[in-house]
Amino acid sequence: MRILHTSDWHIGRTFHGNSTMDALAEVLGALVAQVRESDIDVVIVAGDVFDSATPAGPAYRLLGDTLLALHETGARVIVTSGNHDSAARLGFQARLLRDGIHVMTDPLSVGMPVTLDDADGPVHFYGVPYLEPAVVRQYWPEVPLRSQAQTMAHAMNLVRAGMAEHGGRSVAIAHCFAAGVDATVGLEREVRQGGLDVVPLSVFDGPDYVALGHIHGRQALSERVRYAGAPLHYSFGEQHKERGSWLIDLDATGLASVEWLALPVPRRLVTLTGTLDEILADENVAAHVGDWVCAVYTDALPQAEPMRRLKERFPHCAMVQHTPVGGPEQEERSYSARLKSAVTDTERIEAFLEHVRAGQGASERESELIREVLNERVVAEALV
């Protein structure tokens, strides 16, 4: 059986205020062509299909067009929900979809596979949607679910119970932050929001292959546990990362081979650093006039209308930063650095409090209140 592992489409996301819909449609069209050319049997989309719990109409149209195009290749499609998706909205039409398209968003169904057959027999696909502990602990009150690690461990225990019942080959699909991820790949802001921890790699023992989503760069945590990453660049921090999908071959005994299939990049991303005049030099313009540009200018003083001047030369300049050499005070630089390096909302709030209180962070009681408020927000957004 040939399987294509993709994830994190984020349909509807903007890039510094610019729509990515046309670019993503182009990339997903290329993915459909790869499915046809490589005789793919099953396409896995491991969560974050949409960028929002309330997608706009064009986002639904692009998803519908892509699912239809994949179906027409003869491939079966299995989709799970991620933290950006509304599981209810993504899953409500699951029973209405045509044969061969499966949307798996129900936490109570993680141990019940979608079973597809090839010449060597059945392959069981176990879909684990994004599981927010505060939301799903109501389904399993007998199990302590205070963290993502505990919640995913319980879900994978249910998967292994399903594997024992059904036998044969198996593939698990999940959306989480697994231990061993390279932090330079460009992590999602929500990856550890509200103090959620990482999931140990051992949690995923058992299946022949584990298709993960949540991280926007490809990652091979082991031969059989991988992230495919997003099919499109969604930030300048991702600009040097390849976009694509994993092509998985299963034989009669399990995982046979894994191959990377690269996807085209509709518009390259580049960061240009130097004085504003250096960035605007003819050679830079000639090399990057068609690229998305992040300009980091190092002049000692702020320059007049830098974005206007940059856009006159680089029509797709999306971001400008003033980073003078030795300019800002060290305290301000350290505050900016703390904000830039913060992964969770809690860390951002802590950095802000330390900044405005001359180094004094949140008290123990304040930290508790911050966590409570953030967790309440996560629950509210998950139930949308």
Side-chain angles (χ1 to χ4, degrees), residues 14-18 234-239 267-274 276 279-280 288 291-298 305-312 314-323 336 340:
T14 59
F15 180 76
H16 296 278
N18 300 278
Y234 287 117
S235 74
F236 282 102
E238 303 171 16
Q239 66 190 65
R267 191 181 304 282
R268 294 186 308 164
L269 283 71
V270 63
T271 299
L272 303 178
T273 303
L276 191 57
I279 292 173
L280 294 170
H288 303 294
D291 299 341
W292 288 117
V293 171
C294 170
V296 181
Y297 74 95
T298 59
E305 299 182 300
M307 181 58 88
R308 179 189 62 79
R309 294 170 62 187
L310 286 159
K311 278 190 168 292
E312 287 176 351
F314 303 101
H316 306 289
C317 182
M319 186 176 182
V320 59
Q321 297 177 347
H322 181 215
T323 308
S336 299
K340 186 176 181 180

Side-chain angles (χ1 to χ4, degrees), residues 150-295:
Q150 291 174 325
T151 306
M152 186 57 67
H154 178 63
M156 287 303 299
N157 284 338
L158 296 175
V159 168
R160 282 185 283 270
M163 291 169 55
E165 178 182 349
H166 292 87
R169 297 162 294 167
S170 60
V171 174
I173 308 161
H175 195 87
C176 65
F177 183 37
V181 168
D182 179 0
T184 66
V185 299
L187 302 183
E188 276 287 285
R189 181 179 68 87
E190 299 87 347
V191 161
R192 292 189 295 166
Q193 182 178 356
L196 300 181
D197 58 343
V198 299
V199 179
L201 191 59
S202 60
V203 164
F204 302 106
D205 289 348
D208 294 290
Y209 183 75
V210 180
L212 296 179
H214 204 24
I215 304 302
H216 285 191
R218 69 175 183 178
Q219 293 274 294
L221 305 186
S222 73
E223 185 63 21
R224 41 174 288 282
V225 182
R226 296 171 184 261
Y227 287 97
L232 194 66
H233 291 115
Y234 287 117
S235 74
F236 282 102
E238 303 171 16
Q239 66 190 65
H240 301 300
K241 305 299 180 181
E242 270 197 90
R243 305 288 88 169
S245 308
W246 292 113
L247 173 58
I248 313 301
D249 275 309
L250 299 182
D251 60 17
T253 61
L255 182 63
S257 65
V258 182
E259 178 186 352
W260 178 252
L261 293 184
L263 285 167
V265 177
R267 191 181 304 282
R268 294 186 308 164
L269 283 71
V270 63
T271 299
L272 303 178
T273 303
T275 67
L276 191 57
D277 286 342
E278 290 170 345
I279 292 173
L280 294 170
D282 289 344
E283 57 268 27
N284 267 343
V285 175
H288 303 294
V289 67
D291 299 341
W292 288 117
V293 171
C294 170

Side-chain angles (χ1 to χ4, degrees), residues 3-258:
I3 302 167
L4 190 76
H5 167 200
T6 177
S7 71
D8 295 273
W9 291 1
H10 286 280
I11 303 174
R13 174 168 286 197
T14 59
F15 180 76
H16 296 278
N18 300 278
S19 172
T20 62
M21 201 69 72
D22 290 343
L24 183 58
E26 178 183 337
V27 172
L28 293 179
L31 185 145
V32 171
Q34 289 178 343
V35 169
R36 183 179 296 106
E37 293 162 3
S38 299
D39 294 322
I40 301 296
D41 299 300
V42 181
V43 177
I44 290 172
V45 187
D48 279 354
V49 178
F50 293 120
D51 190 58
S52 166
T54 56
Y60 280 109
R61 285 194 292 273
L62 178 54
L63 176 61
D65 291 345
T66 304
L67 292 179
L68 179 60
L70 289 171
H71 183 267
E72 290 176 346
T73 68
R76 278 74 60 87
V77 184
I78 299 176
V79 180
T80 59
S81 52
N83 57 300
H84 278 255
D85 301 307
S86 164
R89 284 191 172 89
L90 186 62
F92 90 96
Q93 57 186 345
R95 289 180 294 177
L96 307 178
L97 293 171
R98 63 192 64 205
D99 291 341
I101 301 177
H102 307 271
V103 180
M104 308 178 76
T105 63
D106 183 4
L108 293 176
S109 298
V110 295
M112 294 180 278
V114 169
T115 300
L116 305 174
D117 294 295
D118 66 4
D120 297 311
V123 178
H124 306 291
F125 293 83
Y126 296 87
V128 181
Y130 180 76
L131 300 175
E132 172 55 50
V135 175
V136 301
R137 65 169 64 111
Q138 62 181 307
Y139 303 127
W140 302 296
E142 73 284 0
V143 184
L145 301 180
R146 299 183 183 88
S147 68
Q148 186 108 85
Q150 291 174 325
T151 306
M152 186 57 67
H154 178 63
M156 287 303 299
N157 284 338
L158 296 175
V159 168
R160 282 185 283 270
M163 291 169 55
E165 178 182 349
H166 292 87
R169 297 162 294 167
S170 60
V171 174
I173 308 161
H175 195 87
C176 65
F177 183 37
V181 168
D182 179 0
T184 66
V185 299
L187 302 183
E188 276 287 285
R189 181 179 68 87
E190 299 87 347
V191 161
R192 292 189 295 166
Q193 182 178 356
L196 300 181
D197 58 343
V198 299
V199 179
L201 191 59
S202 60
V203 164
F204 302 106
D205 289 348
D208 294 290
Y209 183 75
V210 180
L212 296 179
H214 204 24
I215 304 302
H216 285 191
R218 69 175 183 178
Q219 293 274 294
L221 305 186
S222 73
E223 185 63 21
R224 41 174 288 282
V225 182
R226 296 171 184 261
Y227 287 97
L232 194 66
H233 291 115
Y234 287 117
S235 74
F236 282 102
E238 303 171 16
Q239 66 190 65
H240 301 300
K241 305 299 180 181
E242 270 197 90
R243 305 288 88 169
S245 308
W246 292 113
L247 173 58
I248 313 301
D249 275 309
L250 299 182
D251 60 17
T253 61
L255 182 63
S257 65
V258 182

